[in-house]
Amino acid sequence: NAGVMQNPRHLVRRRGQEARLRCSPMKGHSHVYWYRQLPEEGLKFMVYLQKENIIDESGMPKERFSAEFPKEGPSILRIQQVVRGDSAAYFCASSQGTERVYGYTFGSGTRLTVV
Amino acid sequence: DAKTTQPTSMDCAEGRAANLPCNHSTISGNEYVYWYRQIHSQGPQYIIHGLKNNETNEMASLIITEDRKSSTLILPHATLRDTAVYYCIVRSGGSNYKLTFGKGTLLTVNP
């Protein structure tokens, strides 16, 4: 049973381009969470999604960032018109539910570098 | 969620016990203490969690003080592969899904 799969592992984009980060949750997990880790910082919550629904996007920047988790396929975190400050590691986690008994499994992350 | 305070870094000799402290003096009655770790270039890994009783699993032990204002994560026999940043997180019970990560403690296990 594969864990949470994120791709690509490393992504380089020029300023102004779009970045698409993909996350396939663990089998049986229908809850997906995205976190961002800036250099030398802890992880910060961005968004929580269930299939076809955004539940909480309170941690997402208001502009240029969007997330989806379609009925079929992986969850996508999309960053439009990237800027240097978007350079960070983006981690996805999944769980069966939100109760504390359900552990969160994190992927290995996508490291975005904006040049 | 309550705020946690951890030392910035700690060292431990390989094979010895690593004791990582965490202060959470503002913890409330329904908040759990979680520990995660992040090995370099990897995603966070769940270690253990508890409410008020001490907990043990195959990875570690969690000791929570009686007043619940602090806790200690114990790795009984640290190995070089335990070198990582360890995060102590306080999380509400029920459906609180957000994990609030601080800067954690960088544990370095030395040969």
Side-chain angles (χ1 to χ4, degrees), chain A residues 9 33 35 37 42-43 45 48 56 58 91 98-100 104 106-108 111, chain B residues 32 34 36 38 41-44 49 87 91 94-95 97-99 101-103:
Chain A
R9 286 297 307 275
Y33 317 83
Y35 285 77
Q37 185 172 33
L43 284 79
F45 169 83
Y48 160 39
D56 180 355
S58 59
F91 292 96
T98 58
E99 297 293 325
R100 63 167 180 83
Y104 294 173
F106 282 84
S108 295
R111 278 146 191 83
Chain B
Y32 290 74
Y34 282 73
Y36 282 76
Q38 187 174 22
S41 297
Q42 297 182 23
H49 76 277
Y87 297 100
R91 178 188 169 200
S95 296
Y97 43 82
K98 292 182 188 178
L99 298 177
F101 290 83
K103 294 193 175 181

Side-chain angles (χ1 to χ4, degrees), chain A residues 8 13 19-20 22 39-40 44 49 51 56 59 65 74 82 91 93:
Chain A
R13 284 287 177 266
R20 282 187 176 236
R22 296 174 188 78
E40 310 302 323
K44 305 294 183 192
L49 310 101
K51 283 286 187 181
D56 180 355
F65 284 71
V82 296
F91 292 96

Side-chain angles (χ1 to χ4, degrees), chain B residues 70-105:
Chain B
S70 65
S71 60
T72 301
L73 178 74
I74 301 172
L75 307 179
H77 304 287
T79 70
L80 299 179
R81 289 181 294 179
D82 291 323
T83 292
V85 177
Y86 287 76
Y87 297 100
C88 170
I89 297 168
V90 172
R91 178 188 169 200
S92 298
S95 296
N96 186 338
Y97 43 82
K98 292 182 188 178
L99 298 177
T100 301
F101 290 83
K103 294 193 175 181
T105 297

Side-chain angles (χ1 to χ4, degrees), chain B residues 16-35:
Chain B
R16 304 298 292 268
N19 298 286
L20 291 91
C22 179
N23 286 321
H24 31 79
S25 58
T26 59
I27 194 170
S28 60
N30 69 340
E31 289 181 317
Y32 290 74
V33 180
Y34 282 73
W35 284 83

Side-chain angles (χ1 to χ4, degrees), chain A residues 16-54:
Chain A
Q17 291 185 317
E18 178 179 287
R20 282 187 176 236
L21 289 63
R22 296 174 188 78
C23 169
S24 296
M26 284 187 68
K27 186 177 180 180
H29 287 190
S30 58
H31 300 249
V32 167
Y33 317 83
W34 285 92
Y35 285 77
R36 177 167 69 173
Q37 185 172 33
L38 295 168
E40 310 302 323
E41 297 286 332
L43 284 79
K44 305 294 183 192
F45 169 83
M46 299 182 74
V47 62
Y48 160 39
L49 310 101
Q50 295 180 26
K51 283 286 187 181
E52 300 185 276
N53 287 302
I54 297 174

